[in-house]
Structure formats: structure tokens, C-alpha cells
Amino acid sequence: MKTYPELDNYLKRVALKSPEFLVKVERKAAHDDFPIIGPLCGQYLFQLARMIEARRIFELGSGFGYSACWFSLARGKEAEIHLTDRDPENKKKALQLFSAGRLKSEFVYHLGDALGELNKARGKFDIILNDLDKIKYPDVIEPAWKKLRKGGVLVTDNVLWSGKVYSGVNDSPTRAIRKFTKMIYSHPGFRSTIIPIRDGLMVSLRV
Ligand SMILES: C[S@@+](CC[C@H](N)C(=O)[O-])C[C@H]1O[C@@H](n2cnc3c(N)ncnc32)[C@H](O)[C@@H]1O
């Protein structure tokens, strides 16, 4: 999904290209219509992970590991990356992808409900990526606040939802994203900004 397709195309033309093993995955995801975070957000995840020297990263909704690859490219052996998904096929594909990219991070793939796995996880995280079913978004805020260290960051994909959030659409995913957005902007434990790349990426600093 792209909220501003022309802007997205321009930014993709000027931005640094993805490594070859990820370009192949990007093509396949486009062909299969699988919603990966894409190269512009991927580059941002890379930067963020380097900027805050992230060591422990938790993904809510990992699919076949594309977004996790960007974290791993940024932090290599320094990173412990927790992935979650309910589909065992995605886990298999992710492990193949990490090996194709010769990635060196420690990967822990949890199969099951993503929020349940986050609640069970030990210790604090530097980054949590929120990319699960949109109707669950409002339920992410409190667990994420508890599991992030102070100065850690919650990154949430699809907060512009192809523009539906400001176009009067009222289906349940759109309502949930609007509710999430309102809740997190008014939460005293987060300071947030929406970056309007691809489908809207919200970056929320845990204060
Ligand atoms: C948008 S895709 C993730 C893409 C991935 N972050 C990337 O950019 O490469 C969302 C994935 O989350 C999984 N998912 C959604 N809600 C979930 C939940 N509540 N628990 C576990 N997995 C979930 C879906 O099976 C799907 O594979």
C-alpha cells in the first residue's frame, strides 16, 4: 500500500537501493501481493537501529522476515531479533532468507499470537516494530510501553492506511488505526511523529 504513490516513486528513485537479495524479495512480494514494509521504510529501520545502537528488537508481525533483515543489516552480530507470526510457513521462509543474506544476528522466531509472545518475552527491548493485524493496533500501546526501555522506539506501519484514515472511511481496520493514533499521541509515555513514507510510519519514542 502507498498513500502517496507519486511521492513514493520519486523517493524510491532517489534513495539508496536495497541489497540484491532483498530486491528479489521485494519483487516477489509485489507479485504475490504480500505486504512487506518495503525499501523506504526498510532503510529507515536500518538508520534507526544504528542511531540508537539497538541490541534487542521485537517484531509484532514478521511475515517471512523482510523487515527483520533490515534490522539485521544495521546491527549484525550485535542484534537479537525476535520475530512473531502465526503462520509456520513464514518462519521457514524467513530462515531461508536470513541464510540467503548471510545475516549474522541472533534470530528468535516465535510462532503464535504476536502480543501474547511480547507479553511473555523477558527483559526490555530497544525497538518494537508494530505490523500486525490493524484491528489489534490499540492493544499494542500498553504492552509496548512496558517492554520498551526508556529511549526505546515503537515503530508502527500503515498509520495512513492509503489515506483512508482521513477520508471518512469507517471500516474496522481504519477505525482501529485512527483510535491507535489518537491514543498514542495523547499517551504521556510516548512522543510520536508520523513519517509519510509509503503507507505512513509512526515513530514513537518511549519517554
Ligand atoms: C504486514 S505482514 C508483516 C510484514 C513484515 N513486517 C515485513 O515488513 O517484512 C503481517 C504479518 O503479521 C502476521 N500477523 C498479523 N496479526 C498477527 C497476530 N495477532 N499474531 C501473529 N501474527 C500476526 C500475519 O500472518 C502476517 O504475516
Side-chain angles (χ1 to χ4, degrees), residues 34-37 61-63 66-67 85-86 90 112-114 131-133:
F34 188 89
I36 56 170
I37 206 155
S62 295
Y66 175 85
S67 46
D85 211 285
R86 53 187 166 221
N90 281 336
D113 174 60
D131 199 11
L132 40 64
D133 288 343

Side-chain angles (χ1 to χ4, degrees), residues 12-27:
K12 276 192 193 144
R13 280 203 307 278
V14 293
L16 201 63
K17 299 288 168 274
S18 305
E20 197 46 41
F21 83 103
L22 287 183
V23 172
K24 282 189 201 151
V25 176
E26 287 159 11
R27 284 198 201 113

